[in-house]
Every structure is written in C-alpha cells, then in structure tokens.
Amino acid sequence: QVQLVESGGDSVQAGESLTLSCVASGNVSSDYHMAWFRQVLGKEREIVATRYGGNTRVIYGDFVKGRFTFSQESASNALYLQMNSLKPEDTAIYYCAAADPRSRVYSVTDPRRYQHWGQGTQVTVSS
C-alpha cells in the first residue's frame, strides 16, 4: 500500500509563489517514479513535472515556461514543486503521483503510468 499526501495548496494573487509538498509512505521505495500532475474541472489531468532519462533530467508541462521547479528527496520520499509567477490559468487541483518501477507501458508524462495518487491540493490564483 502506498500513501501520498500533498500539502501547500492555497489561494494567492497572480504573480505570487507557492510551494507544494508531497510525502510518500507505505510500500514505496526510491525506485518508484514520482510526478506532479494537475487537473482543471472538466479537463484531462496533465503533467506538471517529472523526471526522465534515468532520473537525470526534469520535464515540465509546456505551460510551465520556467516558472516551476521540481525537486525530490529520495531519503525522505518527499516531492516538491516550487511555483513562481503564478497565473490565474494555473488554478487547478495539483496531484502527486507514484508509479511502480515495473510500470513502463506508458510514458512518464502519461497519467496512466501511475498507480498511486494523492488526494490533491487546490491551488487558486486570482487576477
């Protein structure tokens, strides 16, 4: 059993910053692939950030454009997302996700790769 708990979501003004955190517990090892996704009501879940290339690089959603920073602490099974210059269109529920290392059918940016999801944390950005 894998549990993911996100925190850090809030209501902010455009241009402000937030840092989201995710802590993984349970039957999860450092081999699990971790990612941040987001979902706007009525739209599909989309990738925000994750590692690829043997965990040597980070890939971001096209909308990020240098504003967000993905980081991970393997020792504590913690995942972070530093979000700067937030825009109203960033308003969404942000989810932490974990994929079993044997799950390789889908790409790391495809939500179908991930078996475990947190409950999500709401980010609301006002103009």
Side-chain angles (χ1 to χ4, degrees), residues 101-118:
R102 296 164 293 181
S103 174
R104 296 180 182 272
V105 174
Y106 301 104
S107 77
V108 296
T109 60
D110 192 323
R112 293 175 293 180
R113 182 176 178 129
Y114 299 83
Q115 299 80 34
H116 310 286
W117 295 85

Side-chain angles (χ1 to χ4, degrees), residues 33-50:
H33 195 88
M34 307 291 290
W36 285 103
F37 285 83
R38 73 180 190 182
Q39 188 167 22
V40 176
L41 188 63
K43 295 188 177 182
E44 293 186 353
R45 199 164 290 190
E46 62 179 344
I47 186 70
V48 178
T50 188

Side-chain angles (χ1 to χ4, degrees), residues 82-100:
Q82 172 68 41
M83 303 188 295
N84 299 325
S85 303
L86 284 163
K87 304 175 181 180
E89 50 265 41
D90 292 319
T91 295
I93 299 175
Y94 285 71
Y95 295 93
C96 175
D100 187 296

